[in-house]
Every structure is written in C-alpha cells, then in structure tokens.
Amino acid sequence: MALDNSKQIDFNAPGLRLFLDSAEPREWERFLPLGVFYGVTTNPLLLQRAGQACTLKNMATLSGQAAKLVFRELQMQVWGDTSDEMCESGRQLAQLAAPGMEVVIKVPATEDGYQVARRLAQSGARITMTAVYTPGQVLLAAGFGAAYAAPYLGRMLDAGQPGRDIVLAMHEILKTTGGASRLLVASLRQAAQVVDLAQLGLDTFTFGAAVAAELFTSDLTDQAAAQFQAAALDMGGQK
Ligand code: E4P
C-alpha cells in the first residue's frame, strides 16, 4: 500500500506511538498493514535473530522493503568498533530515509555512545539512545535532545532489578523536565506490561511479533465476530 507523503510529520505531536520491534520482513508484512504501528525498531541482535546481514547493503534492501509498508519511522542502530566507525554507519543509515518514511538512528547509551549521538545529531540525525537502564541515562539523553530514550524493561527484570519502578522514574523525569524526548519502552515480553504502563501515562512502546499477536488476540472477540457474520447471513447477508 502506498504511503501518503503529502503530510508533514510533526515530531513533537503528543499521543501514542507503537513500534514493532523486529528485523523480520515477514513480521512487518503481517502487522504493519494493520495500521496501528507508528514505526519499526531494529538492532543488530534483531537482525541476527532474523538471519539478516548487518551490512549497509542489506540495511538499504530492508529499508526499501519497509518503505512500501504503512508506518512513519524506521529505527536502525549504529555498529562499529570505534566512535568514528559508529558515526559512519549512523550517517549512512540516516541516508536511507525515503518519502513518507523517516529514519531514526539508535545509539547504545555508553559514554562513547553519547559522543557518537551528539555528532550524528549535529549532522541532522534524530537519535534514540538505546539499551538504557538508569534514570540518569534518560536525563543525559534529554540533555542533548534525543528523540527517544529506550529502557530495556524485560532485561531489567531478568537482572533482578525493579524494572517497572525504574521505568516509571524515567517517565517522571521526562514529564517534569518537559523536553521533547520520549521514553520508548523496549524489551517488553508481555502485552500486560504494555497495558500496565499505558494506564500510567506512558505512550511509546516497542514490542515484537509475539506481544503484537497477544494484543490482537481475544477468543471472545473472535466468537462475537463469528456470531455477527452468522446473523448477517441468517438475515440475508450475501456470502
Ligand atoms: C530493542 O528494541 C529490543 O527490545 C532489545 O533487543 C531487547 O529485547 P530483548 O530483551 O527481548 O532481547
């Protein structure tokens, strides 16, 4: 389906943003046409899980495939052994934006990562600081105007940390300091985690196909839909 490229994107517009956390084009093709996802997030681990090469050539192929689908923002992550290499991969990835599809560059929230992020931001890229574990890292991301800071909730819980409280503290920081950076909650493992945080005012989430499928599934809705169709047929609805 073609995108409507006529509208300017307002990056500061409030409201919900759901991202599909996947580098698997079959998952993009399943979920993006449903129209609920603002964007797609990828990283080298997700590329590895999807059997996709982490090369600029393949990222160009993948972003070309993605650009044909319905969503607004593709997030791709830098790689490299040095800050210069990370900057270079980030600059090349930023050029993969297409009409109707913005690109956001993800950078791990290490000390080096902040330097890379600043350099990329100076060249005009929008940035997600990723693999964020502490409220202080969120403060730093907001400090240079990152578009997003992405805490890894599931991994915090795996590490025995009070992930929900930490994520809520991060949310509070961004709310009270009033910048434009968004908290993009990542490493979500269950639909209930998304719903729980949304009830508390968080509005930006990235989750994989399993959580997306969980959110779309209700046996009672399926039963009701089947009853509606049976009644429609009973009352003259054409097959
Ligand atoms: C990033 O957006 C992902 O959520 C990240 O890969 C962590 O996910 P995982 O904890 O499921 O590996």
Side-chain angles (χ1 to χ4, degrees):
M1 184 174 163
L3 289 166
D4 176 1
N5 300 329
S6 61
K7 294 188 204 105
Q8 288 289 322
I9 297 177
D10 176 1
F11 293 119
N12 294 326
L16 185 67
R17 290 187 191 178
L18 301 179
F19 289 81
L20 186 62
D21 200 24
S22 169
E24 173 53 77
R26 275 173 305 185
E27 294 175 349
W28 300 348
E29 281 156 19
R30 174 177 171 191
F31 288 108
L32 297 180
L34 302 178
V36 304
F37 286 99
Y38 187 87
V40 170
T41 51
T42 65
N43 65 34
L45 271 175
L46 293 171
L47 289 166
Q48 188 181 45
R49 285 179 200 163
Q52 294 285 348
C54 186
T55 60
L56 288 168
K57 188 169 174 232
N58 193 44
M59 296 313 286
T61 303
L62 286 173
S63 63
Q65 285 175 262
K68 296 181 185 141
L69 297 164
V70 182
F71 72 108
R72 300 173 86 167
E73 205 172 87
L74 176 61
Q75 299 209 7
M76 294 181 281
Q77 189 162 319
V78 297
W79 65 86
D81 280 331
T82 63
S83 302
D84 286 346
E85 284 178 15
M86 285 193 271
C87 275
E88 187 50 28
S89 62
R91 285 202 185 96
Q92 301 275 352
L93 292 171
Q95 287 171 20
L96 299 178
M101 185 188 79
E102 297 295 321
V103 164
V104 174
I105 304 301
K106 294 172 72 179
V107 183
T110 60
E111 190 171 330
D112 274 355
Y114 282 93
Q115 191 214 120
V116 170
R118 179 189 58 75
R119 288 165 66 188
L120 290 171
Q122 271 177 341
S123 65
R126 293 172 64 241
I127 304 293
T128 292
M129 294 312 291
T130 193
V132 163
Y133 285 89
T134 69
Q137 290 171 317
V138 172
L139 202 58
L140 297 174
F144 80 89
Y148 302 90
Y152 279 8
L153 176 62
R155 290 186 181 210
M156 286 178 201
L157 298 171
D158 291 346
Q161 296 181 357
R164 184 175 184 267
D165 291 345
I166 294 171
V167 166
L168 290 177
M170 294 170 170
H171 173 60
E172 203 55 35
I173 285 173
L174 291 185
K175 219 170 56 173
T176 50
T177 53
S181 305
R182 280 175 173 254
L183 199 66
L184 168 56
V185 187
S187 184
L188 288 154
R189 307 276 168 75
Q190 295 138 20
Q193 292 173 323
V194 181
V195 172
D196 172 48
L197 292 173
Q199 283 174 320
L200 296 166
L202 284 86
D203 61 5
T204 310
F205 302 96
T206 186
F207 46 81
V211 171
E214 205 186 333
L215 283 166
F216 276 108
T217 301
S218 162
D219 289 345
L220 292 175
T221 302
D222 291 346
Q223 281 171 31
Q227 286 168 350
F228 293 143
Q229 180 59 7
L233 288 176
D234 186 45
M235 298 309 289
Q238 297 296 307
K239 256 200 171 163

